[in-house]
Every structure is written in C-alpha cells, then in structure tokens.
Amino acid sequence: AQSVAQPEDQVNVAEGNPLTVKCTYSVSGNPYLFWYVQYPNRGLQFLLKYITGDNLVKGSYGFEAEFNKSQTSFHLKKPSALVSDSALYFCAVRLHFSGGYNKLIFGAGTRLAVHP
Amino acid sequence: GAVVSQHPSRVICKSGTSVKIECRSLDFQATTMFWYRQFPKQSLMLMATSNEGSKATYEQGVEKDKFLINHASLTLSTLTVTSAHPEDSSFYICSARDSIGPKPREQYFGPGTRLTVT
C-alpha cells in the first residue's frame, strides 16, 4: 500500500542546534513530496516540496529537505533551530490516479519541541 | 500568497442538529477542494474530494449522507454535518487546489474549524 511514515512522534532539540524530522515513503512511480507545519488550532502551512530536479529542496523559514530515492526518504532539516519552530510537522505525498485525480496523504505527524 | 478561509472557526452544536462549514478560496479559483478531519494529536484524514459542479468523491468509510458536500462555485465549498453526534467532534480542515497555473497545481489549506457536539 502507498503510504508515508514519520517514525518519530516527537523530536526534542535545543535552540541553536540542527534539527531533523524524518519521513519515509512507499509509493509507486515518482513521488511528489511535501512538508507542512501546523501550529495549535491552525490549518497547515506549506514549507516545501519536491517534484523533480535537485534532491535538496529549500523552503520557508530556513527549512530544507533532501530527497533520497534509494532510501525512499525525505527528511526535513534546519541548521539552527528556533523556539518558534516548535510545532507539529507533517510529511505528505501526492498520489496520482487515472483520470487526473490525485490526493495528498499525510504521515502521522511529528511534534517538534525546541528548548531554550 | 493564496488564501483559504473557513467559517466558522469554532462551533458548538447540540446532538442531533446539523452544522454547515464554509470553505472559500479568497484570491484564486478552485475547481477542486478537499475536506479533512483531524482528531487530537493525530494526522489529517481525507474525507472527500469536492469538485465544482459535480458530486463529491468520498473516501472509504465516510458516510456521504452524513457529511454533505456542496461545491457550487469555483470559490466556495460547504461541508454540512447532519444529525451531529458527539463522536463527530473534531477539527475539520479544508484545502483548495488552484485551478490555473503550472502543474502540479498548488493546494492551499484553510485554518480549520473546531466542531464540538454536546
């Protein structure tokens, strides 16, 4: 089955340290991969996406992600974490179906806690 | 950037009543909109895909007669929870896909609606 996995429920990191939020996927064909962030009681905000091209994708707020086809991963990274980065992060993959229909499926989410 | 709004942001209703949630794309046209629900500390689950001018496509296990979706214009989709029960209490998030522009077309999310059924 096509799916997205975020193996960590929570990631804790000290402010100023680098952070990584992991994501692996299992889809057929070439994946379209996304990262979103959600603050409490809010909708999702787009961070970045990989469609094709350079495996290292840069996005909003200093985040970046690296597409690794051999490891089927798309980990989110930031060189220096901020307390304000504390939020819920979702990895997603767009599934494509016949007739042009497509939809996003989400990983379970990873809560990032950045400590001062 | 593209903005998607939802109204209301919070609603409390009594068991057995119906409640309507609106989703609007404010500065772009959306042929396709999506409705998700999110339980506390869980991921988003797609409920249905709403297509302007046609019937919605529901995901497996979602009751179409309970969750009525109408997408009457390119900027508005509504979700009506009929005969609400406490277990329908959840955070409902809509998303709208830009109808024009280069493919793959962007999908933008609304701020969500917190529904509490008492």
Side-chain angles (χ1 to χ4, degrees):
Chain A
Q2 303 191 88
S3 63
V4 179
Q6 293 179 244
E8 303 154 316
D9 290 337
Q10 179 152 333
V11 169
N12 298 299
V13 64
E15 187 175 30
N17 283 1
L19 69 87
T20 299
V21 183
K22 296 179 180 178
C23 172
T24 58
Y25 63 91
S26 175
V27 298
S28 56
N30 296 318
Y32 291 0
L33 297 160
F34 301 80
W35 275 102
Y36 292 89
V37 59
Q38 185 181 34
Y39 294 96
N41 294 311
R42 302 291 298 277
L44 270 64
Q45 295 180 33
F46 170 79
L47 282 178
L48 50 79
K49 66 181 177 184
Y50 172 83
I51 304 298
T52 187
D54 194 347
N55 288 345
L56 183 63
V57 179
K58 294 187 182 296
S60 306
Y61 312 119
F63 284 93
E64 58 188 30
E66 186 167 11
F67 171 64
N68 188 317
K69 189 172 184 178
S70 63
Q71 297 185 6
T72 62
S73 67
F74 190 56
H75 302 331
L76 181 70
K77 300 181 179 183
K78 186 173 182 179
S80 178
L82 300 173
V83 174
S84 58
D85 292 330
S86 299
L88 190 57
Y89 289 80
F90 290 101
C91 182
V93 63
R94 183 175 290 180
L95 301 182
H96 300 267
F97 301 87
S98 60
Y101 173 64
N102 59 77
K103 64 180 181 182
L104 281 175
I105 59 169
F106 290 86
T110 298
R111 186 163 300 281
L112 174 66
V114 182
H115 305 285
Chain B
V3 178
V4 176
S5 70
Q6 282 185 242
H7 178 78
S9 57
R10 290 178 177 270
V11 58
I12 300 173
C13 70
K14 292 186 176 181
S15 187
T17 62
S18 296
V19 61
K20 180 186 287 187
I21 302 170
E22 292 186 349
C23 176
R24 293 182 185 272
S25 56
L26 297 186
D27 48 4
F28 65 99
Q29 293 184 334
T31 304
T32 304
M33 291 186 174
F34 304 87
W35 287 96
Y36 298 83
R37 68 186 297 182
Q38 184 182 28
F39 291 105
K41 299 183 179 181
Q42 294 189 28
S43 187
L44 280 73
M45 300 301 297
L46 180 64
M47 299 175 64
T49 302
S50 167
N51 300 294
E52 186 267 337
S54 64
K55 292 183 179 180
T57 302
Y58 289 81
E59 295 298 302
Q60 191 172 9
V62 178
E63 299 177 60
K64 62 181 181 181
D65 294 331
K66 180 168 183 61
F67 298 99
L68 300 179
I69 291 172
N70 183 276
H71 191 160
S73 79
L74 288 172
T75 60
L76 173 64
S77 176
T78 61
L79 169 67
T80 301
V81 183
T82 63
S83 187
H85 290 277
E87 56 265 31
D88 297 327
S89 299
S90 189
F91 194 52
Y92 292 86
I93 301 174
C94 80
S95 177
R97 180 172 295 159
D98 200 336
S99 296
I100 61 174
K103 292 183 179 180
R105 304 225 166 95
E106 293 292 344
Q107 186 171 330
Y108 303 97
F109 287 81
T113 296
R114 173 76 58 195
L115 170 64
T116 303
V117 184
T118 60

